[in-house]
Amino acid sequence: MMRIIYTIPLLVCCFSISFGQSVNETTESRLSNLMTQFVEAALKSDTSVAEKIYAQDMILTSQSGKVYLKKDALLDLKNPFEKYENSELRFIHLSQKVVVVNYLNTRQRKTLEEAKYRVTAVWKKNKTGWQIVSLQSTKILTQGM
């Protein structure tokens, strides 16, 4: 009888941990896929993916510190990119419905030099799926330090 009393809480704990990990891995996979779709669309100056994943009340803070709303962020995507890549993705799960993603973004517009940015995006899950509610980028300087 004592063995059952000790075994049941242990099983519940193990199940909770493994369930949480698979939920996190599934969420990370889903967000990674959405980010890949976004990259592919950005290279084509296609705003349809961003239209879906940018929340209506999204706030985008650029590397200059200027704040943009969704409509402004969508306009910026219409400027063609020659290169747009994301790497070094790091996920912080604040809850099952809020995830912070930090990553390295390398991009180049047709008339400018390649630049690298450290980006932090706050994703929130709602009825329609995952959306970005806040996005902030900081340009990585290659000289100095």
Coordinates of all heavy atoms in Angstrom, one line a residue, residues 4-50:
I4 N 2.2 2.1 -3.4 CA 1.3 2.8 -4.3 C 1.2 4.3 -3.9 O 1.2 5.1 -4.8 CB -0.1 2.1 -4.2 CG1 -0.1 0.7 -4.8 CG2 -1.2 3.0 -4.9 CD1 -1.4 0.0 -4.7
I5 N 1.2 4.6 -2.7 CA 1.1 6.0 -2.2 C 2.3 6.8 -2.8 O 2.1 7.9 -3.2 CB 1.0 6.1 -0.7 CG1 -0.3 5.5 -0.2 CG2 1.2 7.5 -0.2 CD1 -0.5 5.4 1.3
Y6 N 3.5 6.2 -2.8 CA 4.6 6.9 -3.3 C 4.8 6.9 -4.8 O 5.3 7.8 -5.4 CB 5.9 6.3 -2.7 CG 6.1 6.6 -1.2 CD1 6.0 5.6 -0.2 CD2 6.2 7.9 -0.7 CE1 6.1 5.8 1.1 CE2 6.3 8.2 0.6 CZ 6.3 7.1 1.5 OH 6.4 7.4 2.9
T7 N 4.3 5.8 -5.4 CA 4.4 5.6 -6.8 C 3.5 6.6 -7.6 O 3.9 7.2 -8.6 CB 4.1 4.2 -7.2 OG1 4.9 3.3 -6.5 CG2 4.3 4.0 -8.7
I8 N 2.3 6.8 -7.2 CA 1.3 7.6 -7.9 C 1.8 9.0 -8.1 O 1.8 9.6 -9.2 CB -0.1 7.5 -7.3 CG1 -0.7 6.1 -7.6 CG2 -1.0 8.6 -7.9 CD1 -2.0 5.8 -7.0
P9 N 2.2 9.7 -7.0 CA 2.7 11.1 -7.2 C 3.9 11.2 -8.1 O 4.1 12.1 -8.9 CB 3.1 11.5 -5.7 CG 2.2 10.7 -4.9 CD 2.1 9.4 -5.6
L10 N 4.8 10.1 -8.0 CA 6.0 10.1 -8.9 C 5.6 10.0 -10.3 O 6.1 10.7 -11.2 CB 6.9 8.9 -8.5 CG 8.2 8.8 -9.3 CD1 9.0 10.0 -9.1 CD2 8.9 7.5 -8.8
L11 N 4.6 9.1 -10.6 CA 4.1 9.0 -12.0 C 3.5 10.3 -12.5 O 3.7 10.7 -13.6 CB 3.1 7.8 -12.1 CG 3.7 6.4 -12.0 CD1 2.6 5.4 -11.9 CD2 4.7 6.2 -13.1
V12 N 2.7 10.9 -11.7 CA 2.0 12.2 -12.0 C 3.1 13.2 -12.3 O 3.0 13.9 -13.3 CB 1.0 12.6 -10.9 CG1 0.6 14.1 -11.2 CG2 -0.1 11.7 -10.8
C13 N 4.1 13.3 -11.5 CA 5.2 14.3 -11.7 C 5.9 14.0 -13.0 O 6.1 14.9 -13.8 CB 6.1 14.2 -10.5 SG 7.5 15.4 -10.7
C14 N 6.3 12.8 -13.3 CA 7.0 12.4 -14.5 C 6.1 12.7 -15.7 O 6.6 13.2 -16.7 CB 7.4 10.9 -14.5 SG 8.7 10.6 -13.3
F15 N 4.8 12.4 -15.7 CA 3.9 12.6 -16.8 C 3.8 14.1 -17.1 O 3.9 14.6 -18.2 CB 2.5 12.1 -16.5 CG 1.5 12.4 -17.6 CD1 1.6 11.7 -18.8 CD2 0.6 13.4 -17.4 CE1 0.7 12.0 -19.8 CE2 -0.3 13.7 -18.4 CZ -0.3 13.0 -19.6
S16 N 3.7 14.9 -16.0 CA 3.7 16.4 -16.1 C 4.9 16.9 -16.8 O 4.8 17.8 -17.7 CB 3.5 17.1 -14.8 OG 2.2 16.6 -14.2
I17 N 6.1 16.5 -16.4 CA 7.3 17.0 -17.0 C 7.4 16.6 -18.4 O 7.7 17.4 -19.3 CB 8.5 16.4 -16.2 CG1 8.5 17.1 -14.8 CG2 9.8 16.7 -16.9 CD1 9.5 16.5 -13.8
S18 N 7.1 15.3 -18.7 CA 7.3 14.9 -20.1 C 6.2 15.6 -21.0 O 6.5 15.9 -22.2 CB 7.2 13.4 -20.3 OG 5.9 12.9 -19.9
F19 N 5.0 15.7 -20.5 CA 4.0 16.4 -21.2 C 4.3 17.9 -21.5 O 4.2 18.3 -22.6 CB 2.6 16.4 -20.5 CG 1.5 17.1 -21.2 CD1 0.9 16.5 -22.3 CD2 1.0 18.3 -20.8 CE1 -0.1 17.2 -23.0 CE2 0.0 18.9 -21.4 CZ -0.5 18.4 -22.6
G20 N 4.9 18.5 -20.5 CA 5.3 19.9 -20.7 C 6.4 20.1 -21.7 O 6.4 21.0 -22.5
Q21 N 7.3 19.1 -21.8 CA 8.4 19.2 -22.7 C 7.9 19.0 -24.1 O 8.2 19.7 -25.0 CB 9.5 18.1 -22.4 CG 10.3 18.5 -21.2 CD 11.2 17.4 -20.8 OE1 11.1 16.2 -21.2 NE2 12.2 17.7 -20.1
S22 N 6.9 18.1 -24.3 CA 6.4 17.9 -25.7 C 5.6 19.1 -26.1 O 5.6 19.4 -27.3 CB 5.6 16.6 -25.8 OG 4.4 16.7 -25.1
V23 N 4.8 19.7 -25.2 CA 4.1 20.9 -25.5 C 5.0 22.0 -26.0 O 4.8 22.7 -27.0 CB 3.2 21.3 -24.4 CG1 2.6 22.7 -24.6 CG2 2.1 20.3 -24.1
N24 N 6.1 22.2 -25.2 CA 7.1 23.2 -25.5 C 7.7 22.9 -26.9 O 7.9 23.9 -27.7 CB 8.1 23.3 -24.4 CG 7.6 24.0 -23.2 OD1 6.5 24.5 -23.1 ND2 8.4 24.0 -22.2
E25 N 8.1 21.7 -27.1 CA 8.7 21.3 -28.4 C 7.8 21.6 -29.6 O 8.2 22.1 -30.6 CB 9.2 19.9 -28.4 CG 10.4 19.7 -27.4 CD 10.8 18.2 -27.2 OE1 10.1 17.3 -27.8 OE2 11.7 18.0 -26.4
T26 N 6.5 21.2 -29.4 CA 5.5 21.4 -30.4 C 5.3 22.9 -30.7 O 5.3 23.3 -31.8 CB 4.2 20.8 -30.0 OG1 4.4 19.4 -29.8 CG2 3.1 21.0 -31.0
T27 N 5.3 23.7 -29.6 CA 5.1 25.1 -29.8 C 6.3 25.7 -30.5 O 6.2 26.5 -31.4 CB 4.9 25.8 -28.4 OG1 3.7 25.3 -27.8 CG2 4.9 27.3 -28.5
E28 N 7.5 25.3 -30.1 CA 8.7 25.8 -30.7 C 8.8 25.5 -32.2 O 9.2 26.3 -33.0 CB 10.0 25.3 -30.0 CG 10.1 26.0 -28.6 CD 11.2 25.4 -27.8 OE1 12.1 24.7 -28.3 OE2 11.2 25.7 -26.5
S29 N 8.4 24.3 -32.5 CA 8.3 23.8 -33.9 C 7.3 24.6 -34.7 O 7.6 25.1 -35.8 CB 8.0 22.3 -34.0 OG 7.8 21.9 -35.3
R30 N 6.2 24.9 -34.1 CA 5.2 25.7 -34.8 C 5.6 27.1 -35.0 O 5.5 27.7 -36.1 CB 3.9 25.7 -34.0 CG 2.8 26.5 -34.5 CD 2.2 25.9 -35.8 NE 1.2 26.8 -36.4 CZ 1.1 27.1 -37.6 NH1 1.9 26.6 -38.5 NH2 0.1 27.9 -38.0
L31 N 6.2 27.7 -34.0 CA 6.7 29.1 -34.2 C 7.9 29.2 -35.2 O 8.0 30.1 -36.0 CB 7.2 29.7 -32.8 CG 6.0 29.9 -31.8 CD1 6.6 30.4 -30.5 CD2 4.9 30.8 -32.3
S32 N 8.8 28.2 -35.1 CA 9.9 28.1 -36.1 C 9.3 28.0 -37.5 O 9.8 28.7 -38.5 CB 10.8 26.9 -35.8 OG 11.4 27.1 -34.6
N33 N 8.3 27.2 -37.7 CA 7.6 27.1 -39.1 C 7.0 28.4 -39.5 O 7.1 28.8 -40.7 CB 6.6 26.0 -39.1 CG 7.2 24.6 -39.0 OD1 8.3 24.4 -39.4 ND2 6.4 23.7 -38.6
L34 N 6.3 29.1 -38.6 CA 5.8 30.4 -38.9 C 6.9 31.4 -39.3 O 6.7 32.2 -40.2 CB 4.9 31.0 -37.7 CG 3.6 30.3 -37.5 CD1 3.0 30.7 -36.2 CD2 2.6 30.5 -38.6
M35 N 8.0 31.4 -38.6 CA 9.1 32.3 -38.9 C 9.7 32.0 -40.2 O 10.1 32.9 -41.0 CB 10.1 32.2 -37.8 CG 9.6 32.8 -36.5 SD 10.7 32.6 -35.1 CE 12.0 33.8 -35.5
T36 N 9.8 30.7 -40.6 CA 10.3 30.3 -41.9 C 9.3 30.8 -43.0 O 9.8 31.3 -44.0 CB 10.4 28.8 -42.0 OG1 11.4 28.4 -41.0 CG2 10.9 28.3 -43.4
Q37 N 8.0 30.6 -42.8 CA 7.1 31.2 -43.8 C 7.2 32.7 -43.9 O 7.1 33.2 -45.0 CB 5.6 30.8 -43.3 CG 5.3 29.4 -43.4 CD 3.9 29.1 -42.8 OE1 3.0 29.9 -42.7 NE2 3.7 27.9 -42.3
F38 N 7.4 33.3 -42.8 CA 7.6 34.8 -42.8 C 8.8 35.2 -43.7 O 8.8 36.1 -44.5 CB 7.7 35.3 -41.4 CG 7.9 36.8 -41.4 CD1 6.9 37.7 -41.3 CD2 9.2 37.4 -41.4 CE1 7.0 39.1 -41.3 CE2 9.4 38.7 -41.4 CZ 8.3 39.6 -41.3
V39 N 10.0 34.5 -43.5 CA 11.2 34.7 -44.2 C 10.9 34.6 -45.7 O 11.3 35.4 -46.5 CB 12.3 33.8 -43.7 CG1 13.5 33.8 -44.7 CG2 12.8 34.2 -42.3
E40 N 10.3 33.5 -46.1 CA 10.0 33.2 -47.5 C 9.2 34.3 -48.1 O 9.4 34.7 -49.2 CB 9.4 31.8 -47.7 CG 10.3 30.7 -47.3 CD 9.6 29.3 -47.2 OE1 8.4 29.3 -47.3 OE2 10.3 28.3 -46.9
A41 N 8.2 34.8 -47.3 CA 7.3 35.8 -47.8 C 8.1 37.2 -47.9 O 7.9 37.9 -48.9 CB 6.1 36.0 -46.9
A42 N 8.9 37.4 -46.9 CA 9.7 38.7 -46.9 C 10.6 38.8 -48.2 O 10.8 39.9 -48.7 CB 10.5 38.8 -45.7
L43 N 11.2 37.7 -48.6 CA 12.0 37.7 -49.7 C 11.3 38.0 -51.0 O 11.8 38.4 -52.0 CB 12.8 36.3 -49.9 CG 13.9 36.1 -48.8 CD1 14.4 34.7 -48.8 CD2 15.0 37.1 -49.1
K44 N 9.9 37.8 -51.0 CA 9.1 38.0 -52.2 C 8.3 39.3 -52.0 O 7.4 39.6 -52.8 CB 8.1 36.9 -52.3 CG 8.7 35.5 -52.6 CD 7.7 34.4 -52.6 CE 8.3 33.1 -52.7 NZ 7.3 32.0 -52.5
S45 N 8.6 40.1 -50.9 CA 7.8 41.3 -50.6 C 6.3 41.0 -50.5 O 5.5 41.8 -50.8 CB 8.1 42.4 -51.7 OG 9.4 42.7 -51.7
D46 N 6.0 39.8 -50.0 CA 4.6 39.4 -49.8 C 4.3 39.6 -48.4 O 4.9 39.0 -47.5 CB 4.6 37.9 -50.2 CG 3.2 37.3 -49.9 OD1 2.3 38.0 -49.6 OD2 3.1 36.0 -50.1
T47 N 3.3 40.4 -48.1 CA 2.9 40.8 -46.8 C 1.8 39.8 -46.2 O 1.4 40.0 -45.1 CB 2.4 42.2 -46.7 OG1 1.2 42.4 -47.6 CG2 3.5 43.2 -47.1
S48 N 1.3 38.9 -47.0 CA 0.2 38.0 -46.6 C 0.5 37.2 -45.3 O -0.4 37.1 -44.4 CB -0.2 37.1 -47.7 OG 0.8 36.2 -48.0
V49 N 1.7 36.7 -45.1 CA 2.0 36.0 -43.9 C 2.1 36.9 -42.7 O 1.5 36.6 -41.7 CB 3.4 35.2 -44.1 CG1 3.8 34.5 -42.8 CG2 3.2 34.2 -45.2
A50 N 2.8 38.1 -42.9 CA 2.9 39.0 -41.8 C 1.5 39.5 -41.4 O 1.2 39.8 -40.2 CB 3.8 40.2 -42.2

